[in-house]
Amino acid sequence: MPGFSTNAIHAGQEPDPTTGAVITPIHPSSTFAQDGVGGLRAGGYEYSRSANPTRTALQECLAALEGGRHGIAFGSGMGASDVLLRVLLAPGDHIVIPHDAYGGTFRLVDKILTGWGIEYTPVDLADVAALRAAVRPTTRVIWCETPTNPLLGIADIAALADVARGAGARLVVDNTFASPYLQTPLALGADVVLHSTTKYVGGHSDVVGGALVTGDDELAERLRFTQNSVGSVPGPFDAWLTLRGAKTLAVRMERHCDNAERVADLLAGHPAVSRVLYPGLPEHPGHEVAAKQMRRFGGMVSFTVAGGREAALRVCAATRLFTLAESLGGVESLIEHPGAMTHASVAGSALEVPDDLVRLSVGIEDIEDLLDDLRTALGAA
Ligand SMILES: *Cc1c(COP(=O)(O)O)cnc(C)c1O
């Protein structure tokens, strides 16, 4: 089997058979000529909501990177989550979500799906006993993020897969934070992997997209049918940008990890910081599990500021290289205050995050410049 970067650069991306173009063409065509009524040409394209060649290339690449037979690309991560949950859940069913789930995932479940008769329980998935206790006869889905956003908690994917199997539920892993380079949940027993390809897979903060990968033929068929029915597809240019980003995923992730480790070390020794949340630190409660299931520990680092909420807001306002912005996983470093920004929608719920918390998406700039920027900003705490 080819290695990760060989797949990233070649899977689904044979040179174009008619022109020899080395790079997959962007096919903007919405429709495809048929040789007679119902006579599709080899390859079988008819209409770009149903399938498009540029999207196919991306899907084959993502499937290879996650080690699944089927990749399905979406117009956003939330579009992928919506289709997946509509396929896996029916009225009366129950889903377990992480107690610090991505805010948009929580909103989809809490504000939309409950209106269609779905029940949910937020659980700290680092605690397998708590998960077992939360599972009901109606539980159809266990939704896992690891590392979690923004608290960087770690769940043991293989252990969760055991619980899911015993309960007759499916294990979904949102692998956005790790990327397929650092972690491949299907190999650990997950049924479906979800990505916001907006983040590390695209990697350049220039395209919104999502993806599902699974090894289950029957499930893939139902996912494709529902996606085609509701229409949450990426355009060909978006698919192309994502594919272009994916080619360099391995080298980018190595640098994200190098830089995040240095940032975590700086924060751990700084008097303005009360706690550093990074699974690469030996004192992180999920360190051993992360070391078992991840290649390295990723580019996301969160920390709490000793001076409390106001001091945390001052740090966010004081960085210059770390841009104050939502999102993550791009080549540029970002800083944000989850309580007031990405996770404002969970305020007052069981998923509320500490108000002295700051989240960093550590980019791939020169590390000394990043450390200088943080030292200066922490001086303002
Ligand atoms: C961003 C994100 C999503 C949602 O993806 P979009 O592309 O923004 O729709 C889902 N899960 C995680 C962990 C994310 O970071």
Side-chain angles (χ1 to χ4, degrees), residues 151-175:
L151 298 176
L152 298 167
I154 298 293
D156 185 332
I157 297 172
L160 267 46
D162 271 348
V163 176
R165 246 191 316 276
R170 307 266 198 170
L171 177 64
V172 174
V173 176
D174 179 340
N175 205 27

Short mmCIF file of all heavy atoms in Angstrom, two decimals, residues 151-175:
data_model
loop_
_atom_site.label_atom_id
_atom_site.label_comp_id
_atom_site.label_asym_id
_atom_site.label_seq_id
_atom_site.Cartn_x
_atom_site.Cartn_y
_atom_site.Cartn_z
N LEU A 151 -11.36 22.13 24.46
CA LEU A 151 -10.66 21.71 25.68
C LEU A 151 -9.58 20.65 25.43
O LEU A 151 -8.86 20.28 26.34
CB LEU A 151 -11.68 21.21 26.72
CG LEU A 151 -12.71 22.28 27.17
CD1 LEU A 151 -13.74 21.69 28.11
CD2 LEU A 151 -11.99 23.45 27.84
N LEU A 152 -9.50 20.17 24.18
CA LEU A 152 -8.46 19.22 23.79
C LEU A 152 -8.45 17.96 24.66
O LEU A 152 -7.40 17.42 25.01
CB LEU A 152 -7.08 19.91 23.76
CG LEU A 152 -7.06 21.05 22.72
CD1 LEU A 152 -5.85 21.93 22.88
CD2 LEU A 152 -7.11 20.49 21.31
N GLY A 153 -9.67 17.53 25.03
CA GLY A 153 -9.81 16.25 25.73
C GLY A 153 -9.58 15.11 24.75
O GLY A 153 -9.74 15.26 23.53
N ILE A 154 -9.18 13.96 25.28
CA ILE A 154 -8.88 12.79 24.45
C ILE A 154 -9.82 11.65 24.81
O ILE A 154 -10.02 11.34 25.99
CB ILE A 154 -7.41 12.34 24.67
CG1 ILE A 154 -6.43 13.45 24.26
CG2 ILE A 154 -7.13 11.04 23.93
CD1 ILE A 154 -6.39 13.76 22.78
N ALA A 155 -10.41 11.04 23.79
CA ALA A 155 -11.23 9.84 23.99
C ALA A 155 -10.52 8.65 23.36
O ALA A 155 -9.85 8.79 22.33
CB ALA A 155 -12.60 10.04 23.35
N ASP A 156 -10.69 7.48 23.96
CA ASP A 156 -10.06 6.26 23.48
C ASP A 156 -10.97 5.65 22.39
O ASP A 156 -11.99 5.03 22.70
CB ASP A 156 -9.88 5.30 24.66
CG ASP A 156 -9.12 4.04 24.28
OD1 ASP A 156 -9.18 3.63 23.10
OD2 ASP A 156 -8.49 3.46 25.17
N ILE A 157 -10.61 5.84 21.14
CA ILE A 157 -11.50 5.47 20.03
C ILE A 157 -11.81 3.97 20.04
O ILE A 157 -12.96 3.56 19.86
CB ILE A 157 -10.88 5.89 18.67
CG1 ILE A 157 -10.75 7.41 18.61
CG2 ILE A 157 -11.73 5.39 17.50
CD1 ILE A 157 -9.98 7.94 17.40
N ALA A 158 -10.80 3.13 20.29
CA ALA A 158 -11.02 1.68 20.29
C ALA A 158 -11.99 1.29 21.40
O ALA A 158 -12.87 0.43 21.20
CB ALA A 158 -9.69 0.95 20.43
N ALA A 159 -11.87 1.92 22.57
CA ALA A 159 -12.77 1.61 23.69
C ALA A 159 -14.20 2.05 23.36
O ALA A 159 -15.17 1.34 23.66
CB ALA A 159 -12.27 2.30 24.97
N LEU A 160 -14.33 3.22 22.73
CA LEU A 160 -15.66 3.70 22.35
C LEU A 160 -16.29 2.78 21.29
O LEU A 160 -17.50 2.54 21.30
CB LEU A 160 -15.57 5.13 21.79
CG LEU A 160 -15.78 6.29 22.77
CD1 LEU A 160 -15.02 6.13 24.05
CD2 LEU A 160 -15.46 7.62 22.11
N ALA A 161 -15.46 2.28 20.39
CA ALA A 161 -15.96 1.37 19.35
C ALA A 161 -16.53 0.10 19.97
O ALA A 161 -17.55 -0.43 19.52
CB ALA A 161 -14.84 1.05 18.35
N ASP A 162 -15.88 -0.38 21.04
CA ASP A 162 -16.38 -1.56 21.78
C ASP A 162 -17.76 -1.28 22.36
O ASP A 162 -18.67 -2.11 22.24
CB ASP A 162 -15.44 -1.89 22.94
CG ASP A 162 -14.34 -2.83 22.50
OD1 ASP A 162 -14.44 -3.38 21.39
OD2 ASP A 162 -13.39 -3.01 23.29
N VAL A 163 -17.91 -0.12 23.00
CA VAL A 163 -19.20 0.23 23.60
C VAL A 163 -20.26 0.34 22.51
O VAL A 163 -21.38 -0.16 22.66
CB VAL A 163 -19.10 1.57 24.39
CG1 VAL A 163 -20.47 1.97 24.93
CG2 VAL A 163 -18.09 1.45 25.52
N ALA A 164 -19.92 0.99 21.40
CA ALA A 164 -20.88 1.16 20.31
C ALA A 164 -21.33 -0.19 19.77
O ALA A 164 -22.53 -0.43 19.58
CB ALA A 164 -20.26 2.01 19.19
N ARG A 165 -20.37 -1.09 19.54
CA ARG A 165 -20.71 -2.42 19.03
C ARG A 165 -21.66 -3.14 19.97
O ARG A 165 -22.67 -3.71 19.54
CB ARG A 165 -19.44 -3.26 18.83
CG ARG A 165 -19.14 -3.59 17.38
CD ARG A 165 -18.04 -4.63 17.24
NE ARG A 165 -16.90 -4.40 18.13
CZ ARG A 165 -15.89 -3.58 17.84
NH1 ARG A 165 -15.89 -2.94 16.69
NH2 ARG A 165 -14.89 -3.40 18.68
N GLY A 166 -21.36 -3.08 21.27
CA GLY A 166 -22.19 -3.75 22.27
C GLY A 166 -23.59 -3.18 22.33
O GLY A 166 -24.55 -3.88 22.67
N ALA A 167 -23.71 -1.88 21.99
CA ALA A 167 -25.00 -1.20 22.10
C ALA A 167 -25.78 -1.22 20.79
O ALA A 167 -26.90 -0.71 20.73
CB ALA A 167 -24.77 0.25 22.55
N GLY A 168 -25.19 -1.77 19.74
CA GLY A 168 -25.85 -1.72 18.43
C GLY A 168 -25.93 -0.31 17.88
O GLY A 168 -26.83 0.03 17.10
N ALA A 169 -24.97 0.55 18.27
CA ALA A 169 -24.93 1.93 17.78
C ALA A 169 -23.73 2.10 16.85
O ALA A 169 -22.83 1.26 16.82
CB ALA A 169 -24.81 2.89 18.96
N ARG A 170 -23.73 3.19 16.09
CA ARG A 170 -22.60 3.48 15.21
C ARG A 170 -21.68 4.49 15.91
O ARG A 170 -22.16 5.42 16.54
CB ARG A 170 -23.07 4.14 13.92
CG ARG A 170 -24.13 3.37 13.21
CD ARG A 170 -23.54 2.47 12.16
NE ARG A 170 -24.57 2.07 11.22
CZ ARG A 170 -24.32 1.43 10.10
NH1 ARG A 170 -23.07 1.12 9.78
NH2 ARG A 170 -25.30 1.10 9.29
N LEU A 171 -20.38 4.29 15.74
CA LEU A 171 -19.41 5.26 16.26
C LEU A 171 -18.97 6.18 15.12
O LEU A 171 -18.40 5.73 14.13
CB LEU A 171 -18.19 4.55 16.86
CG LEU A 171 -17.10 5.51 17.36
CD1 LEU A 171 -17.60 6.38 18.52
CD2 LEU A 171 -15.85 4.75 17.78
N VAL A 172 -19.26 7.47 15.29
CA VAL A 172 -18.82 8.50 14.36
C VAL A 172 -17.66 9.26 15.01
O VAL A 172 -17.77 9.65 16.18
CB VAL A 172 -19.96 9.51 14.08
CG1 VAL A 172 -19.46 10.66 13.21
CG2 VAL A 172 -21.14 8.81 13.43
N VAL A 173 -16.57 9.45 14.29
CA VAL A 173 -15.48 10.26 14.83
C VAL A 173 -15.28 11.49 13.95
O VAL A 173 -15.02 11.37 12.75
CB VAL A 173 -14.15 9.46 14.94
CG1 VAL A 173 -13.02 10.37 15.42
CG2 VAL A 173 -14.32 8.27 15.88
N ASP A 174 -15.46 12.66 14.56
CA ASP A 174 -15.11 13.93 13.91
C ASP A 174 -13.60 14.08 14.04
O ASP A 174 -13.09 14.37 15.12
CB ASP A 174 -15.87 15.07 14.59
CG ASP A 174 -15.55 16.43 13.98
OD1 ASP A 174 -14.50 16.55 13.31
OD2 ASP A 174 -16.34 17.37 14.19
N ASN A 175 -12.89 13.85 12.95
CA ASN A 175 -11.42 13.77 12.97
C ASN A 175 -10.78 15.08 12.53
O ASN A 175 -9.61 15.11 12.15
CB ASN A 175 -10.99 12.62 12.04
CG ASN A 175 -9.63 12.05 12.40
OD1 ASN A 175 -9.21 12.11 13.56
ND2 ASN A 175 -8.94 11.48 11.42
#
